[in-house]
Amino acid sequence: MLYYLFEYLDKYYDFPGSALFGFLTFRAAVTIILSLLISTIFGRRIIRFLQKQQVGETIRDLGLDGQVEKAGTPTMGGIIIILATLIPVLLFAKLGNIYIILLVITTLWMGTIGFIDDYIKKFKNDKEGLKGRFKVLGQVGLGIIVGATLYFHPDVTLKEKLPQEQQQEILAANPDVESSKLFQMEEKSTKTTIPFVKENEFDYADLITWISPDLEKYAWIIFILAAIFIITAVSNGANLTDGIDGLAAGTSAIIVLTLGIFAWVSGNIVFSDYLNIMYIPRVEEITIYIAAFVGALIGFLWYNTYPAQVFMGDTGSLTIGGIIAVIAIAVRKSG
């Protein structure tokens, strides 16, 4: 919201300093600071509220040291992460960007599923929480939305480099040519990247086109199925990881920060050309969301490191996993 306000002030009134909001790095820096402040300052109030509601964690007796002390520790702390992420994003991100829209939907969608699960456990006295099939159904539903949007939305495209011979001809004619001149036009693609492999681009369409090239028109089915699998696997993986103080939040912060670097580089045609990384127009805006998310995770760690004052619960773990999965798919690093 503030992005659009200062863009308007800069365009029509030349308001001093308003042009800064046009710089991605400035907005990312302000976003992570605000997110940290929200999670650390308001996190304490949210923990006190959860304590008053007696939203305490039930600990299974496994005979571990310090296990008894954890009983009664407030759970559902994922609310802190969600609020500290969404508020700065709504203020500083380009809300019309399709990647930001998808990540906001993912956060609310998975946060709702996790909240329902925690609510049933704590207020309905049902240790099983939300039935597993309903969790998976929710993850599949999100996978369909994300996969279909990334495949069909006109703003989700790639720009690949021109053939080597054509690049050499252009460079021979003008050695100082702009990097953008060495790329083809934007196009829809189902390609992703497989790490640590030479010639590491993989096209999901290849899974069916080897049978017949005519099947390429059905590549969207494969892409959506892949999105469903990744989102389901990663969100459940994050849920299983949440068991030791600071483990899920700490590891997730590292993962998301790495994806943030890829998002920033992939959305910059100069750096993607120099580093030979897939160029994805408009994906750099994800950096703002990641900055908010990392700030929220680090702020949450202040209360979640040993001895934990709050647990994130499924409200947090399912949301974290879903966000990581969608970011990985969006920046084509899900292989």
Side-chain angles (χ1 to χ4, degrees), residues 4 94-102 146 148-159 186-189 266-267 279-286 330-332:
Y4 295 105
K94 296 180 182 178
L95 300 180
N97 184 284
I98 185 58
Y99 297 109
I100 295 296
I101 293 172
L102 273 181
V146 171
T149 302
L150 291 178
Y151 186 88
F152 293 108
H153 198 281
D155 286 345
V156 180
T157 58
L158 296 181
K159 285 188 78 170
E186 293 184 27
E187 61 180 6
K188 303 294 294 182
S189 176
S266 298
Y279 174 52
I280 311 170
R282 295 169 291 276
V283 81
E284 72 279 359
E285 194 64 22
I286 290 181
V331 299
R332 314 285 174 147

Side-chain angles (χ1 to χ4, degrees), residues 234-312:
V234 177
S235 58
N236 284 322
N239 192 19
L240 293 173
T241 303
D242 182 33
I244 300 176
D245 297 356
L247 178 61
T251 54
S252 297
I254 297 171
I255 294 169
V256 174
L257 189 59
T258 304
L259 289 173
I261 295 172
F262 278 120
W264 183 70
V265 172
S266 298
N268 187 301
I269 196 167
V270 176
F271 286 113
S272 60
D273 177 39
Y274 181 75
L275 297 173
N276 197 28
I277 292 176
M278 190 182 294
Y279 174 52
I280 311 170
R282 295 169 291 276
V283 81
E284 72 279 359
E285 194 64 22
I286 290 181
T287 308
I288 304 300
Y289 198 99
I290 290 174
F293 192 44
V294 170
L297 289 172
I298 294 174
F300 178 78
L301 271 173
W302 180 263
Y303 301 107
N304 187 236
T305 49
Y306 182 83
Q309 301 174 53
V310 66
F311 297 132
M312 67 174 65

Side-chain angles (χ1 to χ4, degrees), residues 49-57 72-76 118 122-123:
F49 174 78
L50 293 174
Q51 288 173 332
K52 289 180 181 179
Q53 299 299 316
Q54 298 182 338
V55 187
E57 185 68 79
T73 302
T75 187
M76 300 177 82
D118 287 335
K122 305 308 168 189
F123 293 100

